Amino acid sequence: MTSAPGKDPGKDGAVQDAGSLSRAGDLFQLLRDGQARTRAELALTTGLARSTVASRIDALMNSGLVGPAGEASSSGGRPPSRFAFNPAARVVLAVDVGATHVIVAVTDLGGTVLAERRLAQEVADGPDVVLGRVVAAGRELLAEADRNLEDLAGIGIGLPGPVEHDTGRPIKPPIMPGWDGFDVVRYMQRSLPVPVLVDNDVNIMALGERTAYWPDHDNLLFIKIATGIGAGIISSGELQRGANGTAGDLGHVRVPRGDDVLCRCGNYGCLEALASGPAVARQLQAQGLAATNGGDVLRLVAEGNLQAIQALRQAGRDVGDVLATVVNLLNPSMIVIGGSVGEAGEHLVAGIREVVYRRSLPLATSHLRIGISMAGDQAAILGASQMVTQHVLSPAVIEATLQATG
């Protein structure tokens, strides 16, 4: 297809006005796919003058975000140089805070994990203790990856509770005593003065899973089943947080089977009170089995215990009851089941599929896939890294960075 002068075909066949590519930050977006290009190719694609492209590329190369990538073939004379995005130019500190663990990693701007630390840590110990350990581990990991503070582009943190994304403050998180309204961003920036982005852990797991394994699915749900139950919603390619950051809180949707089951939120019949790891463990405990958490449930299932298998399958049906409505409402093409229980629960996923495919509208499920997370316990780390990368590599931030250092 031949493009109109000054326009660039997008991935959907649309064309982009060259005027929107006049800044280095905008031009950089063309290079983020990692494909190597020459100055002439960029000028042809964008419709910009070669001198304009050359000055923008020089600025990006000085920042380190773009680097040389070999030479193109020549029809005569000196071969032209190619340039490409350099993901190693900066690094990101990615943090996954769970109910009983913290994972801290240093990644490059492409999401490759360079160094990682896993800590046993109760989130209930409070923000000063947890974030203090994050800062200490972060400094150690930067050194381990042979990077310094000047290389750090930003910090991404996932928390196991509702988060006001604009401020990074947890909002009345049920399993995080002492965290309500805590200024996570300010605390981190006292030690590591870089941009800090904070979100609910399931949101960043959805980001990580999609980026790493399902980039072609613009409508994806990530369902975390562990101590609690929640969903990360990606619709039309964008993460949906809702008006107050609580979108996807499936755990407190009422399930008819649980009318007499009290949830920790104070209501009866919540999905979390029936199908989370601790909830299934309590059901097995009432049957005389030694089970106190989701890990015990999975152990019993692995041992072939019929009661545990049946309980996990029923938990899947309960989750499926809620997801059938969600599928009719949002029409995703992919549902990924993750979390410590979800990742290991084939019987649970079988129960989910059984109900969703039976209860949802045929058109909504005609191309729907339901599967277990491929990213596993790396999903949140990959998502935290991606959240920061999306911010620091955005056109406006790139432009501001180049102007500040120019």
Side-chain angles (χ1 to χ4, degrees), residues 273-365:
L274 275 80
S276 66
V280 177
R282 284 193 297 270
Q283 296 165 29
L284 295 177
Q285 207 172 42
Q287 298 175 44
L289 297 176
T292 59
N293 53 45
D296 292 334
V297 174
L298 297 177
R299 173 181 52 78
L300 289 167
V301 168
E303 292 171 356
N305 185 280
L306 185 58
Q307 292 163 284
I309 291 172
Q310 290 175 332
L312 199 59
R313 183 70 173 253
Q314 181 57 50
R317 295 189 188 102
D318 292 333
V319 174
D321 269 332
V322 173
L323 287 183
T325 301
V326 175
V327 166
N328 287 337
L329 185 66
L330 297 179
N331 189 206
S333 61
M334 185 76 205
I335 297 178
V336 178
I337 310 300
S340 57
V341 175
E343 290 166 17
E346 282 285 1
H347 293 286
L348 181 138
V349 175
I352 292 173
R353 290 185 178 126
E354 173 188 332
V355 176
V356 168
Y357 288 121
R358 173 166 51 86
R359 292 279 305 278
S360 299
L361 294 173
L363 184 59
T365 58

Coordinates of all heavy atoms in Angstrom, one line a residue, residues 273-365:
A273 N -15.7 -15.9 49.8 CA -16.0 -16.7 51.0 C -16.2 -18.1 50.7 O -16.3 -19.0 51.6 CB -17.1 -16.1 51.8
L274 N -16.4 -18.4 49.4 CA -16.7 -19.8 49.0 C -15.6 -20.4 48.2 O -15.4 -21.6 48.3 CB -18.0 -19.8 48.1 CG -19.3 -19.9 48.9 CD1 -19.7 -18.5 49.4 CD2 -20.4 -20.5 47.9
A275 N -14.9 -19.6 47.4 CA -14.0 -20.2 46.4 C -12.5 -19.8 46.5 O -11.7 -20.3 45.7 CB -14.5 -19.8 45.0
S276 N -12.1 -19.0 47.4 CA -10.7 -18.6 47.6 C -10.0 -19.8 48.3 O -10.6 -20.8 48.7 CB -10.6 -17.4 48.5 OG -11.0 -17.7 49.8
G277 N -8.7 -19.8 48.3 CA -7.9 -20.8 48.9 C -8.3 -21.1 50.3 O -8.6 -22.3 50.7
P278 N -8.3 -20.1 51.2 CA -8.7 -20.3 52.6 C -10.1 -20.8 52.7 O -10.4 -21.6 53.6 CB -8.5 -18.9 53.2 CG -7.5 -18.2 52.4 CD -7.8 -18.7 51.0
A279 N -11.0 -20.4 51.9 CA -12.4 -20.8 52.0 C -12.6 -22.3 51.7 O -13.3 -23.0 52.4 CB -13.3 -20.0 51.0
V280 N -11.9 -22.8 50.6 CA -11.9 -24.2 50.3 C -11.3 -25.0 51.4 O -11.7 -26.1 51.8 CB -11.3 -24.5 48.9 CG1 -11.2 -26.0 48.6 CG2 -12.0 -23.7 47.8
A281 N -10.2 -24.5 52.0 CA -9.5 -25.2 53.1 C -10.4 -25.3 54.3 O -10.5 -26.4 54.9 CB -8.2 -24.4 53.5
R282 N -11.2 -24.3 54.6 CA -12.2 -24.4 55.7 C -13.2 -25.4 55.4 O -13.6 -26.2 56.4 CB -12.8 -23.0 55.9 CG -11.9 -22.0 56.6 CD -12.7 -20.8 57.1 NE -13.4 -20.1 56.0 CZ -12.8 -19.1 55.3 NH1 -11.5 -18.7 55.7 NH2 -13.4 -18.4 54.3
Q283 N -13.7 -25.5 54.2 CA -14.7 -26.6 53.9 C -14.1 -28.0 54.1 O -14.8 -28.9 54.6 CB -15.1 -26.4 52.4 CG -15.8 -25.1 52.1 CD -15.9 -24.8 50.7 OE1 -16.0 -25.7 49.8 NE2 -16.0 -23.5 50.3
L284 N -12.8 -28.2 53.7 CA -12.2 -29.5 53.9 C -11.9 -29.8 55.3 O -12.0 -30.9 55.8 CB -10.9 -29.5 53.0 CG -11.1 -29.5 51.5 CD1 -9.8 -29.5 50.8 CD2 -12.0 -30.6 51.0
Q285 N -11.6 -28.7 56.1 CA -11.3 -28.8 57.5 C -12.6 -29.3 58.2 O -12.6 -30.2 59.1 CB -10.9 -27.5 58.1 CG -10.0 -27.5 59.3 CD -9.5 -26.2 59.7 OE1 -10.2 -25.2 59.6 NE2 -8.2 -26.1 60.0
A286 N -13.7 -28.8 57.8 CA -15.0 -29.2 58.3 C -15.3 -30.7 58.1 O -16.1 -31.3 58.8 CB -16.1 -28.3 57.8
Q287 N -14.7 -31.2 57.0 CA -14.9 -32.6 56.7 C -13.8 -33.5 57.4 O -13.7 -34.7 57.1 CB -14.8 -32.8 55.2 CG -15.9 -32.1 54.4 CD -15.8 -32.2 52.9 OE1 -15.5 -33.3 52.4 NE2 -15.9 -31.1 52.2
G288 N -13.0 -32.9 58.2 CA -12.0 -33.7 59.0 C -10.6 -33.8 58.3 O -9.8 -34.5 58.8
L289 N -10.4 -33.0 57.3 CA -9.1 -33.0 56.6 C -8.2 -31.9 57.2 O -8.6 -30.9 57.6 CB -9.2 -32.8 55.1 CG -10.0 -33.9 54.4 CD1 -10.2 -33.6 52.9 CD2 -9.3 -35.3 54.5
A290 N -6.9 -32.2 57.1 CA -5.9 -31.2 57.6 C -5.6 -30.2 56.5 O -4.8 -30.4 55.6 CB -4.6 -31.9 58.0
A291 N -6.3 -29.1 56.6 CA -6.2 -28.0 55.5 C -6.4 -26.7 56.2 O -7.5 -26.4 56.8 CB -7.1 -28.3 54.4
T292 N -5.4 -25.8 56.1 CA -5.6 -24.4 56.6 C -5.5 -23.3 55.6 O -5.8 -22.2 55.8 CB -4.5 -24.2 57.7 OG1 -3.2 -24.3 57.2 CG2 -4.7 -25.1 58.9
N293 N -5.0 -23.7 54.4 CA -4.8 -22.6 53.3 C -4.9 -23.3 52.0 O -5.0 -24.5 51.8 CB -3.5 -21.9 53.5 CG -2.3 -22.8 53.6 OD1 -2.2 -23.8 52.8 ND2 -1.4 -22.6 54.5
G294 N -4.7 -22.4 50.9 CA -4.8 -22.9 49.6 C -3.7 -23.9 49.2 O -4.0 -24.9 48.5
G295 N -2.5 -23.8 49.8 CA -1.4 -24.7 49.6 C -1.8 -26.1 50.0 O -1.5 -27.1 49.4
D296 N -2.5 -26.2 51.2 CA -2.9 -27.5 51.7 C -3.9 -28.1 50.8 O -3.9 -29.3 50.6 CB -3.5 -27.3 53.1 CG -2.5 -26.9 54.1 OD1 -1.3 -27.3 53.9 OD2 -2.8 -26.3 55.1
V297 N -4.8 -27.3 50.2 CA -5.8 -27.8 49.3 C -5.2 -28.4 48.1 O -5.5 -29.5 47.7 CB -6.8 -26.7 48.9 CG1 -7.7 -27.2 47.8 CG2 -7.6 -26.1 50.0
L298 N -4.2 -27.7 47.5 CA -3.5 -28.2 46.3 C -2.7 -29.5 46.6 O -2.6 -30.4 45.8 CB -2.6 -27.1 45.7 CG -3.4 -25.8 45.2 CD1 -2.4 -24.8 44.8 CD2 -4.4 -26.2 44.1
R299 N -2.1 -29.5 47.8 CA -1.4 -30.7 48.2 C -2.3 -31.9 48.3 O -2.0 -33.0 47.8 CB -0.7 -30.5 49.6 CG -0.1 -31.8 50.2 CD 0.5 -31.5 51.5 NE -0.4 -30.9 52.5 CZ -1.4 -31.6 53.1 NH1 -1.5 -32.9 52.9 NH2 -2.2 -30.9 54.0
L300 N -3.5 -31.7 48.9 CA -4.5 -32.9 48.9 C -4.9 -33.3 47.6 O -5.1 -34.5 47.3 CB -5.7 -32.4 49.8 CG -5.4 -32.3 51.3 CD1 -6.5 -31.6 52.0 CD2 -5.2 -33.7 51.9
V301 N -5.1 -32.3 46.7 CA -5.6 -32.6 45.3 C -4.5 -33.4 44.6 O -4.7 -34.4 43.9 CB -5.9 -31.3 44.5 CG1 -6.0 -31.6 43.0 CG2 -7.1 -30.7 45.1
A302 N -3.2 -33.0 44.8 CA -2.1 -33.7 44.2 C -2.0 -35.1 44.7 O -1.5 -36.0 43.9 CB -0.8 -32.9 44.4
E303 N -2.4 -35.3 45.9 CA -2.3 -36.7 46.5 C -3.5 -37.5 46.1 O -3.6 -38.7 46.4 CB -2.3 -36.6 48.0 CG -1.0 -36.0 48.6 CD -1.1 -35.7 50.1 OE1 -2.2 -35.8 50.7 OE2 -0.1 -35.2 50.6
G304 N -4.4 -36.9 45.3 CA -5.6 -37.7 44.8 C -6.7 -37.7 45.7 O -7.7 -38.6 45.6
N305 N -6.8 -36.9 46.7 CA -7.9 -36.9 47.7 C -9.2 -36.4 47.0 O -9.3 -35.3 46.5 CB -7.6 -35.9 48.9 CG -8.7 -36.0 49.9 OD1 -9.7 -35.4 49.8 ND2 -8.4 -36.7 51.0
L306 N -10.2 -37.3 47.0 CA -11.4 -37.1 46.3 C -12.2 -35.9 46.8 O -12.8 -35.1 46.0 CB -12.3 -38.4 46.3 CG -13.6 -38.3 45.4 CD1 -13.2 -38.0 44.0 CD2 -14.3 -39.6 45.5
Q307 N -12.2 -35.8 48.1 CA -12.9 -34.6 48.7 C -12.3 -33.3 48.3 O -13.1 -32.3 48.0 CB -12.9 -34.7 50.3 CG -13.7 -35.9 50.8 CD -13.3 -36.2 52.3 OE1 -12.3 -36.8 52.5 NE2 -14.2 -35.8 53.2
A308 N -11.0 -33.2 48.3 CA -10.3 -32.0 47.9 C -10.6 -31.7 46.4 O -10.8 -30.5 46.0 CB -8.9 -32.1 48.1
I309 N -10.5 -32.7 45.6 CA -10.8 -32.6 44.1 C -12.2 -32.0 43.9 O -12.4 -31.1 43.1 CB -10.6 -33.9 43.4 CG1 -9.1 -34.3 43.4 CG2 -11.1 -33.8 41.9 CD1 -8.8 -35.6 42.8
Q310 N -13.2 -32.6 44.6 CA -14.6 -32.2 44.4 C -14.7 -30.8 44.9 O -15.5 -30.0 44.3 CB -15.5 -33.1 45.2 CG -15.6 -34.5 44.6 CD -16.4 -35.5 45.4 OE1 -16.5 -35.4 46.6 NE2 -17.1 -36.5 44.8
A311 N -14.1 -30.4 46.0 CA -14.2 -29.1 46.6 C -13.6 -28.0 45.6 O -14.2 -26.9 45.4 CB -13.5 -29.0 47.9
L312 N -12.5 -28.4 45.0 CA -11.8 -27.4 44.1 C -12.7 -27.3 42.8 O -12.8 -26.2 42.3 CB -10.4 -27.9 43.8 CG -9.5 -26.8 43.2 CD1 -9.3 -25.7 44.2 CD2 -8.1 -27.5 42.9
R313 N -13.2 -28.4 42.4 CA -14.1 -28.3 41.2 C -15.3 -27.5 41.4 O -15.7 -26.7 40.6 CB -14.5 -29.8 40.8 CG -15.3 -29.9 39.5 CD -14.5 -29.5 38.3 NE -15.3 -29.8 37.1 CZ -15.0 -30.8 36.2 NH1 -14.1 -31.7 36.5 NH2 -15.8 -31.0 35.2
Q314 N -15.9 -27.6 42.6 CA -17.0 -26.8 43.0 C -16.7 -25.3 43.1 O -17.4 -24.4 42.7 CB -17.7 -27.2 44.3 CG -18.9 -26.4 44.7 CD -20.0 -26.4 43.6 OE1 -20.4 -27.5 43.1 NE2 -20.5 -25.3 43.3
A315 N -15.5 -25.0 43.6 CA -15.0 -23.6 43.7 C -14.9 -23.1 42.3 O -15.3 -21.9 42.1 CB -13.6 -23.6 44.4
G316 N -14.5 -23.9 41.3 CA -14.4 -23.4 39.9 C -15.8 -23.1 39.4 O -16.0 -22.1 38.7
R317 N -16.8 -24.0 39.8 CA -18.2 -23.7 39.3 C -18.7 -22.4 39.9 O -19.4 -21.6 39.2 CB -19.1 -24.8 39.7 CG -18.8 -26.2 39.1 CD -19.9 -27.2 39.4 NE -19.5 -28.5 38.9 CZ -19.0 -29.5 39.6 NH1 -18.9 -29.3 41.0 NH2 -18.7 -30.7 39.1
D318 N -18.3 -22.1 41.2 CA -18.7 -20.8 41.8 C -18.1 -19.6 41.1 O -18.8 -18.6 40.8 CB -18.4 -20.8 43.3 CG -19.1 -21.8 44.1 OD1 -20.3 -22.2 43.7 OD2 -18.6 -22.3 45.1
V319 N -16.8 -19.7 40.8 CA -16.2 -18.7 40.0 C -16.8 -18.6 38.6 O -17.1 -17.4 38.1 CB -14.7 -19.0 39.9 CG1 -14.0 -17.9 38.9 CG2 -14.0 -18.9 41.2
G320 N -17.1 -19.7 38.0 CA -17.8 -19.7 36.7 C -19.1 -19.0 36.7 O -19.5 -18.4 35.7
D321 N -19.9 -19.2 37.8 CA -21.2 -18.5 37.9 C -21.0 -17.0 37.8 O -21.8 -16.3 37.1 CB -21.8 -18.8 39.3 CG -22.7 -20.0 39.3 OD1 -23.2 -20.3 38.2 OD2 -22.8 -20.7 40.3
V322 N -20.0 -16.4 38.4 CA -19.8 -15.0 38.3 C -19.2 -14.6 36.9 O -19.6 -13.6 36.3 CB -18.8 -14.5 39.4 CG1 -18.4 -13.1 39.3 CG2 -19.5 -14.8 40.8
L323 N -18.3 -15.4 36.5 CA -17.6 -15.1 35.2 C -18.6 -15.2 34.0 O -18.4 -14.5 33.0 CB -16.4 -16.0 34.9 CG -15.2 -15.7 35.8 CD1 -14.0 -16.6 35.4 CD2 -14.8 -14.2 35.6
A324 N -19.6 -16.1 34.1 CA -20.6 -16.2 33.0 C -21.3 -14.8 32.8 O -21.5 -14.4 31.6 CB -21.6 -17.2 33.3
T325 N -21.6 -14.1 33.9 CA -22.2 -12.8 33.7 C -21.2 -11.8 33.2 O -21.5 -11.0 32.3 CB -22.7 -12.3 35.1 OG1 -23.7 -13.2 35.6 CG2 -23.3 -10.9 35.0
V326 N -20.0 -11.9 33.6 CA -18.9 -11.0 33.2 C -18.7 -11.2 31.7 O -18.5 -10.2 30.9 CB -17.6 -11.2 34.0 CG1 -16.5 -10.3 33.4 CG2 -17.8 -10.8 35.4
V327 N -18.7 -12.4 31.2 CA -18.4 -12.7 29.8 C -19.5 -12.1 28.9 O -19.3 -11.5 27.9 CB -18.3 -14.2 29.6 CG1 -18.4 -14.6 28.1 CG2 -17.0 -14.8 30.1
N328 N -20.8 -12.2 29.4 CA -21.9 -11.6 28.7 C -21.8 -10.1 28.6 O -22.2 -9.4 27.6 CB -23.2 -12.0 29.3 CG -23.6 -13.5 29.0 OD1 -23.1 -14.1 28.0 ND2 -24.4 -14.0 29.9
L329 N -21.2 -9.5 29.7 CA -21.2 -8.1 29.8 C -20.0 -7.5 29.0 O -20.1 -6.5 28.4 CB -21.0 -7.7 31.3 CG -21.0 -6.2 31.7 CD1 -22.4 -5.6 31.4 CD2 -20.7 -6.0 33.1
L330 N -18.8 -8.1 29.1 CA -17.6 -7.6 28.6 C -17.1 -8.2 27.3 O -16.2 -7.7 26.6 CB -16.4 -7.6 29.6 CG -16.7 -6.8 30.9 CD1 -15.5 -6.9 31.8 CD2 -16.9 -5.3 30.6
N331 N -17.5 -9.5 27.0 CA -17.2 -10.2 25.8 C -15.7 -10.3 25.6 O -15.1 -9.9 24.6 CB -17.8 -9.5 24.6 CG -17.7 -10.3 23.3 OD1 -17.7 -9.7 22.2 ND2 -17.5 -11.6 23.4
P332 N -14.9 -10.8 26.6 CA -13.5 -11.0 26.4 C -13.2 -12.1 25.4 O -14.0 -13.0 25.2 CB -13.0 -11.4 27.8 CG -14.1 -12.1 28.4 CD -15.4 -11.4 27.9
S333 N -12.0 -12.1 24.8 CA -11.6 -13.2 23.9 C -10.7 -14.2 24.7 O -10.5 -15.3 24.2 CB -10.9 -12.7 22.7 OG -9.7 -12.0 23.1
M334 N -10.2 -13.8 25.9 CA -9.3 -14.6 26.6 C -9.5 -14.4 28.1 O -9.6 -13.2 28.6 CB -7.8 -14.2 26.3 CG -6.8 -15.0 27.0 SD -6.6 -16.6 26.1 CE -6.0 -17.7 27.5
I335 N -9.7 -15.5 28.9 CA -9.7 -15.4 30.3 C -8.5 -16.2 30.8 O -8.4 -17.4 30.5 CB -11.0 -16.0 30.9 CG1 -12.2 -15.2 30.5 CG2 -11.0 -16.0 32.4 CD1 -13.6 -15.7 30.9
V336 N -7.7 -15.6 31.6 CA -6.5 -16.2 32.2 C -6.7 -16.4 33.7 O -7.0 -15.5 34.4 CB -5.2 -15.4 31.9 CG1 -4.0 -16.0 32.6 CG2 -5.0 -15.2 30.4
I337 N -6.5 -17.6 34.1 CA -6.7 -17.9 35.6 C -5.3 -18.0 36.2 O -4.4 -18.8 35.8 CB -7.4 -19.3 35.8 CG1 -8.7 -19.3 35.0 CG2 -7.7 -19.5 37.3 CD1 -9.7 -18.2 35.3
G338 N -5.1 -17.2 37.2 CA -3.8 -17.1 37.9 C -3.9 -17.1 39.4 O -5.0 -17.4 39.9
G339 N -2.8 -16.7 40.1 CA -2.9 -16.7 41.5 C -2.4 -18.1 42.0 O -2.3 -19.1 41.3
S340 N -2.0 -18.2 43.3 CA -1.4 -19.4 43.8 C -2.3 -20.6 43.7 O -1.9 -21.7 43.6 CB -1.0 -19.2 45.3 OG -2.1 -18.8 46.1
V341 N -3.6 -20.4 43.8 CA -4.6 -21.5 43.7 C -4.9 -21.7 42.2 O -4.9 -22.8 41.7 CB -5.9 -21.3 44.5 CG1 -6.9 -22.4 44.2 CG2 -5.5 -21.2 46.0
G342 N -5.2 -20.6 41.5 CA -5.6 -20.7 40.1 C -4.6 -21.3 39.2 O -4.9 -22.2 38.3
E343 N -3.3 -21.0 39.4 CA -2.2 -21.5 38.6 C -2.1 -23.0 38.6 O -1.7 -23.7 37.7 CB -0.9 -20.9 38.9 CG -0.8 -19.4 38.6 CD 0.4 -18.8 39.3 OE1 1.3 -19.5 39.8 OE2 0.4 -17.6 39.4
A344 N -2.4 -23.6 39.8 CA -2.2 -25.0 40.0 C -3.5 -25.8 40.0 O -3.5 -27.0 40.2 CB -1.4 -25.3 41.3
G345 N -4.6 -25.2 39.7 CA -5.9 -25.8 39.8 C -6.5 -26.2 38.6 O -7.5 -25.6 38.1
E346 N -6.1 -27.3 37.9 CA -6.7 -27.8 36.7 C -8.2 -28.1 37.0 O -9.0 -27.9 36.1 CB -6.0 -29.0 36.1 CG -4.7 -28.6 35.4 CD -5.0 -28.1 34.0 OE1 -6.1 -27.9 33.7 OE2 -4.0 -27.7 33.3
H347 N -8.4 -28.7 38.2 CA -9.8 -29.1 38.5 C -10.7 -27.8 38.7 O -11.8 -27.8 38.3 CB -9.9 -29.9 39.8 CG -9.2 -31.3 39.6 ND1 -9.8 -32.3 38.9 CD2 -8.0 -31.7 40.0 CE1 -9.0 -33.4 38.9 NE2 -7.9 -33.1 39.6
L348 N -10.1 -26.8 39.2 CA -10.8 -25.5 39.4 C -11.1 -24.9 38.0 O -12.2 -24.4 37.8 CB -9.9 -24.5 40.2 CG -10.5 -23.2 40.5 CD1 -10.2 -22.7 41.9 CD2 -9.9 -22.1 39.5
V349 N -10.1 -24.9 37.1 CA -10.3 -24.3 35.8 C -11.4 -25.2 35.0 O -12.2 -24.6 34.3 CB -9.0 -24.3 35.0 CG1 -9.3 -23.8 33.5 CG2 -8.0 -23.3 35.7
A350 N -11.4 -26.5 35.2 CA -12.4 -27.3 34.6 C -13.8 -26.9 35.1 O -14.8 -26.8 34.3 CB -12.2 -28.8 34.9
G351 N -13.9 -26.6 36.4 CA -15.2 -26.1 36.9 C -15.6 -24.8 36.3 O -16.8 -24.6 36.0
I352 N -14.7 -23.9 36.1 CA -14.9 -22.6 35.5 C -15.4 -22.8 34.1 O -16.5 -22.2 33.7 CB -13.7 -21.7 35.5 CG1 -13.3 -21.3 37.0 CG2 -13.9 -20.5 34.7 CD1 -12.0 -20.6 37.1
R353 N -14.7 -23.6 33.3 CA -15.1 -23.8 31.9 C -16.5 -24.4 31.8 O -17.3 -24.0 31.0 CB -14.1 -24.7 31.2 CG -12.7 -24.1 31.0 CD -11.9 -25.1 30.2 NE -10.6 -24.6 29.9 CZ -9.4 -25.2 30.2 NH1 -9.4 -26.4 30.8 NH2 -8.3 -24.6 29.9
E354 N -16.8 -25.4 32.7 CA -18.1 -26.1 32.7 C -19.2 -25.1 32.8 O -20.2 -25.2 32.0 CB -18.1 -27.0 33.9 CG -19.4 -27.7 34.1 CD -19.4 -28.5 35.4 OE1 -18.4 -29.0 35.8 OE2 -20.5 -28.7 36.0
V355 N -19.1 -24.1 33.7 CA -20.3 -23.2 33.9 C -20.3 -22.1 32.9 O -21.3 -21.7 32.3 CB -20.2 -22.6 35.3 CG1 -21.3 -21.6 35.5 CG2 -20.4 -23.8 36.3
V356 N -19.1 -21.5 32.6 CA -19.0 -20.3 31.7 C -19.6 -20.7 30.3 O -20.4 -20.0 29.7 CB -17.6 -19.8 31.6 CG1 -17.5 -18.8 30.4 CG2 -17.2 -19.1 32.8
Y357 N -19.1 -21.8 29.8 CA -19.6 -22.2 28.4 C -21.0 -22.7 28.4 O -21.7 -22.6 27.4 CB -18.7 -23.4 27.9 CG -17.3 -22.9 27.5 CD1 -16.2 -23.5 28.1 CD2 -17.1 -21.9 26.5 CE1 -14.9 -23.0 27.7 CE2 -15.8 -21.5 26.2 CZ -14.7 -22.1 26.8 OH -13.5 -21.6 26.4
R358 N -21.5 -23.1 29.6 CA -23.0 -23.5 29.6 C -23.9 -22.3 29.8 O -25.0 -22.2 29.3 CB -23.2 -24.5 30.7 CG -24.6 -24.9 31.0 CD -24.8 -26.1 31.9 NE -23.9 -26.0 33.1 CZ -24.3 -25.5 34.2 NH1 -25.5 -24.9 34.3 NH2 -23.6 -25.4 35.3
R359 N -23.4 -21.3 30.6 CA -24.3 -20.2 31.0 C -24.2 -18.9 30.2 O -25.1 -18.1 30.2 CB -24.0 -19.8 32.5 CG -24.4 -20.9 33.5 CD -25.9 -20.8 33.8 NE -26.2 -19.5 34.3 CZ -26.1 -19.0 35.5 NH1 -25.5 -19.9 36.4 NH2 -26.4 -17.8 35.9
S360 N -23.0 -18.7 29.5 CA -22.9 -17.5 28.8 C -23.5 -17.7 27.4 O -23.8 -18.8 26.9 CB -21.4 -17.2 28.6 OG -20.7 -17.0 29.8
L361 N -23.8 -16.5 26.8 CA -24.4 -16.5 25.4 C -23.5 -17.2 24.4 O -22.2 -17.0 24.5 CB -24.7 -15.1 25.0 CG -25.8 -14.4 25.8 CD1 -25.9 -12.9 25.4 CD2 -27.2 -15.1 25.7
P362 N -24.0 -18.0 23.5 CA -23.2 -18.7 22.5 C -22.2 -17.7 21.7 O -21.1 -18.0 21.5 CB -24.2 -19.3 21.6 CG -25.4 -19.5 22.4 CD -25.4 -18.3 23.3
L363 N -22.7 -16.5 21.3 CA -21.9 -15.6 20.6 C -20.7 -15.1 21.4 O -19.6 -15.0 20.9 CB -22.7 -14.4 20.1 CG -22.0 -13.4 19.2 CD1 -21.4 -14.1 17.9 CD2 -22.9 -12.3 18.8
A364 N -21.0 -14.9 22.7 CA -19.9 -14.4 23.6 C -18.8 -15.4 23.8 O -17.7 -15.1 24.1 CB -20.5 -14.0 24.9
T365 N -19.1 -16.7 23.7 CA -18.1 -17.8 23.9 C -17.6 -18.4 22.6 O -16.8 -19.3 22.7 CB -18.7 -18.8 24.9 OG1 -19.9 -19.4 24.2 CG2 -19.1 -18.3 26.2

